[in-house]
Amino acid sequence: MAKARNRDPDPPVQLRTLAQRLKTEGLPGAALLRGEERYFVERGLEMLMAAATDSGLELCRHDAQDPEFEAASLLDDLAANPMFASARCIVVRNVDAGRAGEGLLKKVGSKPSPFTRLALSFMETQGDGCLILTGRSIRADHALAKAIKAAGAPLLSLRKLWDTPPPWSPDPRKVELALWVGTRSAELGLRLSPDDCAYLAAATGNDLAAIDTQLEKLRQGGPAKLREVVGWSSGGTPWKTADELLGGDLARGIAAVESLFRSGFHSDRDGKTEVNPAALGAIVLGTLRNKARQGMIGARAMAGGATPDRAAEEAGVSAQKMAREAFQAQLTLRGAAQWERVYRDVLDLERKSRTGAEVDVNDFVPLALRWQVRRTRSPQSRGGRR
């Protein structure tokens, strides 16, 4: 049997562990903060750089995404002795920024990059110095990541928080993002109810810095005026919109469509927000086509006697546990004939888009109506869900 993959602790837990370690053990010789949630990465950096300053180290900061970044200057800092202190703390943001997500880590032929070689050398000979790296998707098997782990230094994986409830537990108050809002608001001395936390998370979107700003506003205006202070500015993602439509909940489907087409889709990768209805419609359609086709194939397989796992395999669903569970929960909403109708609806809308007609919110809202699933609730479940 394959060994289960150890799941990293939640990002806030990792940051609390880092804070405690800095308090009890002091500044480590190196640290790697990887992941897509910039808010958490910056929090970790603040802690590490504050510890470096308290230790009297010379801070040398570099950002591979900065237009004025000079690789030669970074390599000099790694190779040269400090000028104004006994040791250096070298901070390198976005080391993997660049083509194919390699950036400064890109090998030269079969050899490590100049940065990798000098960084490893710095770690071996640093004395009281410190090397702090950040990157969105540095591989765990990269030489630097392995060296940092082998040294017992902090290696944090700071992903974005889950902002969508899974099909098997649809309570928005228990979504990871809403729970974080509750914790963060308590840190700021605010008392928000679970409903208020869920509203703030949904209204603002998965942008922790923006949520922090909204919470600061509430400190001034008071939580009683939450809906006056916090307007609805959240956009959405095409795949979340597709999931909500296929989930069969009319209100959630329409809300997801309106949110996406009103506020657009913000990409964390390039920092841009796509608001063009035609572009948004095309992305949603592509996602719907793939998911509806999977649903149709899976439902046919189930009707033929296949197990849920076998149906997921035939539909080409990822073997990842969460993907399988989400697919199987969604699959039970409709029979094979209904999934075929859903798939035909998507193909009809795609044909319309190819004729030059713009596909927008007015085309997706009717789908939410057509695909609505009327759920029957057992007496035991009544009152447990919104």
Side-chain angles (χ1 to χ4, degrees):
M1 181 181 293
K3 185 178 179 180
R5 179 180 179 272
N6 292 328
R7 181 181 175 184
D8 292 319
D10 295 339
V13 173
Q14 294 183 60
L15 289 177
R16 287 196 293 272
T17 302
L18 175 63
Q20 183 62 30
R21 174 171 179 164
L22 292 173
K23 182 178 180 180
T24 58
E25 301 179 21
L27 185 69
L32 171 58
L33 310 177
R34 60 178 183 163
E36 296 188 348
E37 183 47 75
R38 182 169 299 188
Y39 179 91
F40 290 140
V41 170
E42 291 300 322
R43 280 296 185 90
L45 274 177
E46 288 172 5
M47 285 189 258
L48 288 162
M49 289 192 293
T53 301
D54 291 343
S55 300
L57 272 63
E58 176 187 344
L59 271 176
C60 303
R61 311 183 197 197
H62 301 270
D63 186 341
Q65 283 189 328
D66 190 321
E68 298 182 1
F69 168 71
E70 294 181 357
S73 175
L74 167 60
L75 298 181
D76 285 345
D77 282 343
L78 287 168
N81 293 321
M83 297 178 61
F84 306 108
S86 60
R88 274 184 175 147
C89 175
I90 300 178
V91 179
V92 190
R93 286 181 167 92
N94 304 303
V95 294
D96 55 351
R99 191 171 183 179
E102 294 178 308
L104 292 167
L105 309 177
K106 183 176 177 60
K107 289 185 176 181
V108 180
S110 61
K111 297 181 179 180
S113 70
F115 168 75
T116 298
R117 294 198 304 270
L118 282 174
L120 289 171
S121 176
F122 179 86
M123 290 174 59
E124 292 173 359
T125 61
Q126 64 188 287
D128 294 328
C130 178
L131 176 66
I132 305 173
L133 308 177
T134 79
R136 293 174 63 89
S137 55
I138 304 173
R139 292 173 58 94
D141 61 357
H142 188 274
L144 280 171
K146 287 164 54 173
I148 289 172
K149 183 177 181 180
L155 198 163
L156 281 62
S157 296
L158 303 172
R159 59 172 174 79
K160 295 186 77 66
L161 298 178
W162 303 113
D163 60 357
T164 305
W168 60 88
S169 181
D171 188 344
R173 296 169 299 181
K174 296 180 180 179
V175 173
E176 192 176 31
L177 180 62
L179 294 174
W180 179 85
V181 172
T183 301
R184 181 61 180 148
S185 62
E187 291 174 355
L188 296 173
L190 288 167
R191 291 186 178 182
L192 299 183
S193 70
D195 285 339
D196 286 341
C197 292
Y199 172 83
L200 198 155
T204 309
N206 201 341
D207 184 336
L208 303 190
I211 289 175
D212 241 5
T213 299
Q214 299 287 22
L215 289 173
E216 284 295 337
K217 291 180 182 177
L218 287 175
R219 291 179 71 183
Q220 304 298 322
K225 297 183 178 180
L226 184 141
R227 283 164 178 75
E228 297 177 20
V229 174
V230 181
W232 195 280
S233 59
S234 172
T237 66
W239 37 94
K240 176 181 177 181
T241 301
D243 282 339
E244 295 291 8
L245 285 169
L246 293 172
D249 187 307
L250 178 61
R252 292 171 67 95
I254 291 177
V257 169
E258 291 181 340
S259 179
L260 176 66
F261 281 88
R262 178 177 61 245
S263 301
F265 162 50
H266 179 77
S267 171
D268 288 323
R269 293 203 174 273
D270 58 16
K272 297 179 181 178
T273 299
E274 180 61 74
V275 295
N276 185 312
L280 293 172
I283 302 173
V284 175
L285 271 176
T287 306
L288 281 174
R289 184 196 340 106
N290 293 336
K291 289 180 174 290
R293 183 174 180 277
Q294 287 180 332
M296 180 179 66
I297 293 173
R300 285 175 176 173
M302 291 281 286
T307 64
D309 278 336
R310 180 58 186 167
E313 289 177 12
E314 291 190 22
V317 177
S318 166
Q320 188 180 28
K321 182 180 178 182
M322 289 190 66
R324 286 288 174 93
E325 290 178 345
F327 173 74
Q328 290 165 4
Q330 204 168 69
L331 197 62
T332 61
L333 297 176
R334 303 177 180 86
Q338 291 174 304
W339 275 110
E340 289 174 9
R341 189 189 73 177
V342 168
Y343 186 54
R344 288 197 303 271
D345 287 344
V346 176
L347 295 182
D348 288 343
L349 196 52
E350 279 197 318
R351 279 192 288 271
K352 174 184 175 181
S353 68
R354 294 193 187 104
T355 65
E358 183 175 294
V359 174
D360 57 19
V361 64
N362 297 312
D363 295 287
F364 290 106
V365 168
L367 292 185
L369 289 164
R370 284 175 60 79
W371 298 348
Q372 182 179 8
V373 175
R374 301 192 181 279
R375 295 168 172 80
T376 57
R377 296 167 61 187
S378 64
Q380 292 85 355
S381 68
R382 286 178 187 143
R385 289 168 55 181
R386 65 182 183 89

